[in-house]
Each structure stands twice: as C-alpha cells, then as structure tokens.
Amino acid sequence: MGFSIAAKHARGKAAKDKIFAANDAANKAAAKYGRENVVNATLGSILDEDGRFCCLPTVEQAYRALPMPELMQYAGIDGLPEFLDAVVKETCGQSRPDAEIGVIATAGATGAVHHAVWNYTNEGDKILTSDWYWGAYSSICRDMLRSLDTYKMFDKNNEYNVVGLLAKTRELAAAQDNVALIVNTPAHNPVGYTITDAEWDGILAGLETISKETGKNIVLIVDLAYLDYTGEREETRRFIKKFEKLPKELLVILAYSMSKGFTLYGQRTGAMIGISSDAGVIEEFTGINSFSSRATWSNVNRPCMRVLANICKDPALLAAVGKERDGLFRMIKARGDIFTREAKEAGLPILPYAAGFFLSIESGRPEALCAKLHEDNIYAVPLAKGIRIAVCAVSQAQMRGLAAKVKKAFDAVGN
Ligand code: PLP
C-alpha cells in the first residue's frame, strides 16, 4: 500500500461489495445482449415478472400524501413515538412477549445490528453467527474492532445445527463477558432457511443454561429483515412470544427493517427492539442505543416513520399493504418452487430453502462457478462457501431451466 493518511484501524479498508460488482457485470451483459437474454440473480430487491422494481402501491400513496413538514422536519433521536409503537405492533403481531420492551429507531436493520454490536460487546470480542451469513455482519464487526466467528449452519442431515451454535457460544462465553449472537430468521439471507419452533426451544434453553453455568451475559440479535416474506402473518411471528420469562442475563434484540416489508430499501428506516425480563436492562438499552444514534446519524428518516405510523393506525391501509405484499410473496414463492423442483430433477443440491429472497448452492469453487454461468448469461453472487441466487429478482420465465444450467456449470467446474 502507498502513502496512507488513515488512522491505523481504518487502513486498507474499502467497501468492495461482491453483490454490486456482480450486478454491474449483469448490467453490462444486458446492455450488450438485451435484458431479456440475461438472468440477473444478484440484487436483493423484488422485481416483477417484467423486471421492474416493485413498490407497494399503498406505501407509495401514503408517502406521497405526506405534507411538506413531515417530509422535511427532524424527528427526534429515538424516533417518532407513534412509529415506535407501530414497530412493536408490526413486528410482534399477536405474539408480543410478556416482558419489558424498549424500542428506538435506527438506520435500517443495519443500524440496529451496528448499535447492538457496539453497545453489547467489547473491543476484540468475537460475535457469533452461522457460516452462511449476510456479508455486512463481518464489516460491521471489523469496523468496530471486533470480529465475526461462525458455527456450521447445518449438520450432516442438513438440519439447523443447534448443537454447533451452543457449543460455539459456550466457547466464547469462556473467553468474553458478553456473547453476542446474530441469528437471521425467518427466511435467512442467503439460504432462505427459517428456524423452527423446536429449534428455537433448543436454542433458548441452551443459551439459558450456558448463561447460568458461566455467569456470562448473552445478547441474542435476531435480524428480521425478511419477516414479511415468510408465510402467514401470525404464524411467522409466533416464535417472538418465546422471548418472555428469560433470565435477565439474556437480552434479545430484534433488528427490524422497513426495506423489504414496505419496499422502502433506500429510505434507511428500521428499529431495534430490546426484550428483557428486567426493566433496568431495557432502560439501559434505550439510553445507550439512543446515545449511539445521536453520535452516529442523529435522527432517522421522518417521512418513513410517519408512513408506518399512518398505515398502522388505519386498519384498511394495513390490510391493503398486507394484500399487496402477499402478492409479492406468492410471486417469489412461485419462482422458488420452480427452482427447487427443477434442482431436484437435475440432481443439483441446494441448501434447505423455506422462503425468502435468496437461495444458495454450496460449492468449493464459487468464483469459478459464477464465471462459468456467465457463459450462459447468468449472473449470481459468489460467497465464501457457494453461490447465491436472488429469487426475488428473477422472473418465472427465466427461472425455468435455470437449475439445469447451474447443474451443468456445477459439474463442469467441479467442486
Ligand atoms: N439483514 C439482512 C439479512 C439483509 O439481507 C439485509 C438487506 O440486504 C438487511 C438486514 C438490511 O436491512 P436494512 O436495509 O434495513 O438495513
């Protein structure tokens, strides 16, 4: 590296994003060969069957109806009170835990994970997640002088590796005062897996035991970015009820996002919801995290917060959003069904996909596999342990035959 003026911790960092790089390559191919001849399975936003960006119409109307002061004014560091109320209702539905609950607005779920990592771990700590994970987690940890550690997400039967999660938690608890875990469910990015009720019971019982036996604190960060694209509304939220009656050493933080559920990706609005049996822990939660907001971005997007508040207080609007979103959910599901069925027919192994924007294929040669797919004008994202296909962005017409092509490339490059 040449002359650097950066602080020691900042040297050598750059936000090189493989996802946007793959998208750029797909767009170049589309300009050359025509959009209809290129499968762009890179970006995580929903495109319709004609490749157009999807915005929920009721959300658009609610946004455009806002008066100028609501669009332009500051909003307060913690977020608009009506928004905070709406966030908890939207997130928990009928499964609100009987516990102390605190909530503050954040710059997306990203902001929630950022604050959770900053405020609940110490410099040099390791933060735990599964070996298939959203890349931003490791950037967030690294930027704050921490690092990400992983457990194998699936066991040899392709079931969620609760045993591995707990073993690794115990290992970190031996070395750190606090252990923070990030769990992305339902509809995990990049796999599309949803943790089952039985798995949740195993995880929570195990974390309680570890905390009791080691005397260490555990912070469970549940990234819910895809909550609204998983299935029936109340059923998908039922696991949240399990976060009650936990020991005070076990804090749950839900990272809520308006990006996908309200198609407001670029508006950067979300929240962090703290759930604890201890009122003091929640008082501290709102205090330290709003302090970090003040010190990082000040307040978040007022119009977006107002949109959520306005939609949630009007049952007709809320029902309309639910209906429109259900249409998108069904569209994505139909695409996922095509791929999973054809993958089975072609003998292409995919990781256990339940729902959501992405599915993944394990490969020892992800870069080579993606490069091979380019020969067929197919663009996917290479990850550390395989490739990711954005089901949310590929039409059903383009989905048909895709698994067979991936299988052909998979066999050609070897594993
Ligand atoms: N969490 C996961 C797992 C994601 O895949 C994404 C978006 O790609 C986010 C969080 C981002 O959420 P937000 O836009 O609210 O920061």
Side-chain angles (χ1 to χ4, degrees):
M1 205 174 78
F3 175 69
S4 168
I5 205 162
K8 276 197 209 98
H9 71 83
R11 277 180 207 167
K13 289 179 185 169
K16 280 192 221 98
D17 194 303
K18 282 190 177 181
I19 301 170
F20 287 100
N23 180 53
D24 285 348
N27 285 336
K28 276 196 191 114
K32 199 163 163 192
Y33 303 109
R35 199 153 282 283
E36 65 288 357
N37 298 315
V38 173
V39 177
N40 183 352
T42 61
L43 283 193
S45 27
I46 307 173
L47 303 184
D48 70 12
E49 293 292 288
D50 297 317
R52 286 178 305 231
F53 177 80
C54 290
C55 167
L56 296 173
T58 301
V59 174
E60 180 180 351
Q61 281 157 22
Y63 197 101
R64 290 188 188 277
L66 292 175
M68 197 54 77
E70 285 296 340
L71 290 169
M72 303 287 191
Q73 259 292 24
Y74 283 128
I77 306 295
D78 291 355
L80 299 175
E82 303 87 341
F83 166 78
L84 300 176
D85 208 39
V87 161
V88 176
K89 286 192 183 128
E90 257 305 280
T91 304
C92 301
Q94 293 166 9
S95 300
R96 185 188 172 111
D98 183 13
E100 301 293 332
I101 294 182
V103 54
I104 68 154
T106 56
T110 306
V113 175
H114 172 274
H115 281 11
V117 167
W118 176 244
N119 286 322
Y120 291 98
T121 63
N122 293 302
E123 194 172 319
D125 275 358
K126 289 179 176 165
I127 286 89
L128 188 58
T129 197
S130 52
D131 59 351
W132 290 86
Y133 62 87
W134 182 45
Y137 296 152
S138 66
S139 309
I140 289 170
C141 294
R142 186 176 159 218
D143 203 39
M144 291 184 281
L145 312 181
R146 283 106 169 116
S147 60
L148 199 64
D149 200 355
T150 60
Y151 55 90
K152 222 169 153 351
M153 187 167 176
F154 298 105
D155 63 17
K156 58 183 186 315
N157 302 319
N158 242 358
E159 283 170 9
Y160 200 81
N161 184 13
V162 175
V163 173
L165 176 154
L166 294 174
K168 203 78 200 195
T169 304
R170 193 175 276 282
E171 193 185 306
L172 293 186
Q176 302 175 186
D177 291 340
N178 282 8
V179 181
L181 297 95
I182 309 174
V183 178
N184 175 210
T185 192
H188 174 278
N189 173 9
V191 171
Y193 187 76
T194 295
I195 292 180
T196 65
D197 274 0
E199 287 159 354
W200 266 123
D201 291 340
I203 292 170
L204 292 173
L207 294 180
E208 266 195 57
T209 306
I210 292 169
S211 170
K212 204 179 281 170
E213 287 177 6
T214 61
K216 301 296 177 68
N217 304 313
I218 295 179
V219 180
L220 177 60
I221 305 161
V222 187
D223 180 347
L224 302 167
Y226 299 95
L227 178 66
D228 284 318
Y229 296 95
T230 313
E232 197 278 319
R233 181 180 164 88
E234 292 306 331
E235 204 176 305
T236 54
R237 284 159 169 78
R238 207 161 293 148
F239 73 96
I240 297 172
K241 186 75 181 150
K242 295 180 188 291
F243 302 141
E244 61 188 21
K245 301 189 179 62
L246 296 173
K248 66 177 187 311
E249 293 78 11
L250 181 41
L251 168 66
V252 177
I253 299 175
L254 308 180
Y256 173 79
S257 171
M258 287 185 74
S259 296
K260 331 277 167 176
F262 288 81
T263 59
L264 284 159
Y265 315 80
Q267 298 282 324
R268 315 304 312 129
T269 306
M272 63 196 300
I273 305 172
I275 304 172
S276 169
S277 56
D278 189 275
V281 167
I282 292 303
E283 195 185 335
E284 179 184 63
F285 171 87
T286 48
I288 59 181
N289 290 305
S290 54
F291 185 89
S292 292
S293 295
R294 170 73 273 186
T296 314
W297 54 65
S298 182
N299 17 166
V300 306
N301 185 315
R302 181 184 183 106
C304 228
M305 290 195 276
R306 184 58 74 199
V307 163
L308 188 72
N310 286 350
I311 288 174
C312 288
K313 76 175 182 215
D314 183 336
L317 288 183
L318 195 57
V321 169
K323 199 161 166 232
E324 291 160 8
R325 197 193 276 134
D326 195 48
L328 297 185
F329 167 69
R330 281 171 203 280
M331 182 177 76
I332 296 170
K333 184 165 184 329
R335 297 167 179 176
D337 287 348
I338 293 171
F339 194 93
T340 44
R341 189 182 61 244
E342 291 188 356
K344 207 168 179 187
E345 286 162 10
L348 173 72
I350 62 174
L351 288 159
Y353 174 80
F357 283 33
F358 309 104
L359 55 79
S360 287
I361 294 138
E362 191 160 8
S363 164
R365 305 193 62 212
E367 302 281 349
L369 179 52
C370 282
K372 188 74 188 163
L373 287 170
H374 294 175
E375 292 174 14
D376 270 335
N377 272 334
I378 296 165
Y379 290 79
V381 176
L383 306 170
K385 305 189 76 181
I387 68 164
R388 184 185 87 169
I389 307 250
V391 184
C392 58
V394 178
S395 69
Q396 290 183 55
Q398 288 198 323
M399 265 305 179
R400 289 194 193 95
L402 185 57
K405 287 180 185 158
V406 176
K407 170 70 169 139
K408 193 181 76 183
F410 186 86
D411 290 343
V413 300
N415 208 14

